[in-house]
Amino acid sequence: MNGNLQQFRYETAESLKIALFQISSNKIRSFLTALGVIIGIVSITMMGTAINGIDMGFEKSLSMIGYDVIYIQKSSWSTMGEWWRYRNRPDLKTEYAARINRIIADNPDTELLIAVPQMSTYQATASYKDRVLEQIFSLGTNHEYLKTASGDLASGRFFTPGESAGSEMVCVVGDDIASGLFPNENALGKSISLKNRKFRIVGVFKKQGKFLGLFSFDNQVIMPLGAFEKVYGRNMFVTIRVKIRDQARIAEAKEELLGLMRRIRRIAPGKEEDFSINEQKAFKSQLDPIKNGIAAAGIFITGMSLFVGAIGIMNITFVSVRERTREIGLRKALGAKRRTILLQFLIESVMICLLGGVVGLVTALSITFVIEKAIPDFPVQFSFTLVLASLGVSVLTGIISGLAPAVNASKLDPADSLRYE
């Protein structure tokens, strides 16, 4: 048993040396032969990288809006393109939050914790001296906003209950606002202008990044609700943020909130709701088709590339067998077994595919690095699992494409092979 194992190791080592010699002796031919595998590995690796990156960015974005927060709004996140379905709905009112909170206080078994009102606009402009920032996100809310938000303060504080109730002209700004208007000085205590109204900065949020690569949480100014109404008017874009007790029971919380809102809006039984309750699951349902599309395109390109590569490797291996027929006959005449010849050509085929896989991985890694540097906000994630999967696909392609030529070589007759010209 040990003798057979030792012989197999020797044969494998010898076959590896022969394979490396053949590949190094025919570099251009080996590269062109492996080109299909290289393209296939780049495709499958970039597909996996894109999907992993989307998942990573998506989970980070969902943590920004909160897994345990649901949102009452006029329209639905799951059908955002169908604006005509919601345009005639009556506007929401910020007063709903106080009514919901009173109901929560009277119900010890509720799944809800707190409701916080919010009004917002995306068309705000902030300025300080000669510096101006346009298209910022201006938000009005109350002092309990942070109970439903994920952002942490880098410096300063949030506005107090007294400042909230008194509609004081104070604000908390995102990192982009602070660095944009105050690049070389501390933003705390400074006053910025919003529609010719002065707001004193009492706090600055830590950098949070973009939501789904689109909306930046660092480009926002948050102020007391009353102050927002003085500047922008009432009911600009009302959202009621509701924090729940247990995110595992989000369906029950949504059902409870649905009943509360129907009662508050006085919607008769059987009639459709004139509001929407949104949560992060709506974005997941929209993300799946994108991921499936990337996966389908990647699998198609990978499959075609690997198929063409496998045919090329099989063809070149058959040519190699024909070119080395006399060598095979001589080795068999000297006592080489069928398995030795089969192993030799099979390993050569696998080596070509494996080298193609390594080149493909290096290429994909380089592309990923360039994307990260060129587009920092684009989520990319190169994982060790992808490396193993790519190398595994390379080896499998080598075995499949090299098996038939290797079997053919192992069956050659020594006498006929030695007479081959």
Side-chain angles (χ1 to χ4, degrees):
M1 183 68 178
N2 290 335
N4 290 336
L5 183 60
Q6 187 174 0
Q7 185 179 2
F8 177 75
R9 287 176 178 172
Y10 172 78
E11 290 173 351
T12 303
E14 189 68 21
S15 297
L16 281 170
K17 291 178 183 177
I18 295 172
L20 289 172
F21 174 77
Q22 289 296 327
I23 292 171
S24 61
S25 299
N26 301 278
K27 295 182 181 67
I28 295 177
R29 187 173 79 174
S30 299
F31 174 76
L32 293 175
T33 302
L35 194 57
V37 176
I38 293 172
I39 295 172
I41 294 304
V42 170
S43 300
I44 194 172
T45 305
M46 292 308 298
M47 174 198 72
T49 300
I51 292 176
N52 287 343
I54 288 173
D55 281 336
M56 180 184 68
F58 187 70
E59 290 301 319
K60 181 181 177 182
S61 293
L62 288 187
S63 67
M64 293 179 184
I65 64 172
Y67 291 100
D68 57 353
V69 179
I70 50 182
Y71 299 79
I72 307 170
Q73 293 177 320
K74 190 174 179 178
S75 58
S76 171
W77 291 351
S78 59
T79 53
M80 287 186 289
E82 301 176 7
W83 56 269
W84 61 88
R85 292 180 54 187
Y86 311 108
R87 63 179 178 180
N88 293 325
R89 285 181 170 182
D91 292 330
L92 294 175
K93 298 178 181 179
T94 55
E95 292 84 357
Y96 293 163
R99 296 179 65 177
I100 292 171
N101 285 330
R102 285 196 293 270
I103 296 172
I104 290 173
D106 294 336
N107 182 11
D109 297 325
T110 180
E111 296 290 340
L112 314 176
L113 277 177
I114 190 171
V116 175
Q118 168 187 314
M119 282 197 296
S120 58
T121 176
Y122 292 90
Q123 303 300 322
T125 299
S127 62
Y128 176 75
K129 294 182 179 179
D130 60 341
R131 303 187 190 102
V132 179
L133 295 178
E134 297 181 343
Q135 300 293 316
I136 69 169
F137 182 64
S138 187
L139 186 151
T141 185
N142 64 23
H143 60 284
E144 295 183 305
Y145 172 80
L146 289 183
K147 293 180 179 179
T148 65
S150 60
D152 295 321
L153 291 172
S155 59
R157 59 175 176 81
F158 205 71
F159 43 84
T160 65
E163 290 169 334
S164 178
S167 303
E168 297 290 330
M169 308 299 273
V170 295
C171 67
V172 182
V173 300
D175 182 78
D176 288 351
I177 305 294
S179 60
L181 294 180
F182 310 97
N184 301 312
E185 52 187 315
N186 190 350
L188 285 180
K190 302 292 194 305
S191 293
I192 61 174
S193 294
L194 299 167
K195 292 190 72 172
N196 298 320
R197 297 291 189 97
K198 295 289 186 179
F199 282 82
R200 180 169 54 89
I201 298 175
V202 296
V204 178
F205 279 109
K206 289 181 180 178
K207 194 168 186 65
Q208 298 180 72
K210 290 186 176 181
F211 177 72
L212 298 180
L214 302 173
F215 165 74
S216 175
F217 279 85
D218 300 317
N219 191 38
Q220 60 180 347
V221 176
I222 302 177
M223 65 193 71
L225 197 59
F228 181 95
E229 291 176 346
K230 291 177 185 178
V231 178
Y232 301 105
R234 292 180 58 83
N235 301 325
M236 284 292 292
F237 184 80
V238 177
T239 297
I240 308 297
R241 307 164 65 100
V242 183
K243 189 177 182 68
I244 63 177
R245 293 185 184 278
D246 184 0
Q247 67 185 59
R249 294 179 58 81
I250 193 168
E252 291 83 352
K254 284 182 66 176
E255 195 65 30
E256 180 184 347
L257 189 57
L258 184 71
L260 291 184
M261 281 301 298
R262 287 183 67 91
R263 196 167 84 194
I264 291 171
R265 299 273 272 193
R266 297 181 180 180
I267 300 173
K271 283 193 175 183
E272 185 181 0
E273 292 84 22
D274 57 7
F275 60 91
S276 295
I277 298 178
N278 296 311
E279 43 122 353
Q280 38 87 4
K281 186 179 178 182
F283 289 109
K284 285 187 175 180
S285 64
Q286 294 185 36
L287 181 70
D288 286 341
I290 297 174
K291 289 167 57 179
N292 293 339
I294 293 173
I299 290 171
F300 176 77
I301 296 172
T302 301
M304 291 297 294
S305 301
L306 291 178
F307 177 75
V308 172
I311 294 298
I313 291 168
M314 187 181 296
N315 182 52
I316 291 299
T317 307
F318 271 122
V319 171
S320 181
V321 170
R322 181 168 294 182
E323 290 174 346
R324 292 150 64 187
T325 299
R326 287 176 62 85
E327 174 196 325
I328 294 169
L330 182 60
R331 293 190 68 188
K332 280 199 166 187
L334 292 173
K337 297 179 181 179
R338 281 186 57 186
R339 75 174 188 193
T340 306
I341 304 300
L342 186 144
L343 192 63
Q344 174 188 332
F345 285 94
L346 198 58
I347 286 179
E348 187 173 328
S349 173
V350 170
M351 283 294 293
I352 292 174
C353 286
L354 198 54
L355 289 173
V358 171
V359 173
L361 281 171
V362 172
T363 304
L365 186 58
S366 302
I367 294 172
T368 301
F369 178 78
V370 170
I371 292 174
E372 282 183 326
K373 294 299 180 183
I375 317 173
D377 291 325
F378 188 82
V380 288
Q381 179 69 26
F382 200 88
S383 68
F384 183 67
T385 304
L386 277 176
V387 174
L388 293 179
S390 299
L391 294 178
V393 168
S394 301
V395 171
L396 185 62
T397 303
I399 293 172
I400 293 172
S401 58
L403 188 59
V407 170
N408 185 64
S410 69
K411 289 182 178 179
L412 289 176
D413 182 79
D416 294 337
S417 299
L418 287 170
R419 290 196 300 268
Y420 182 79
E421 294 294 337

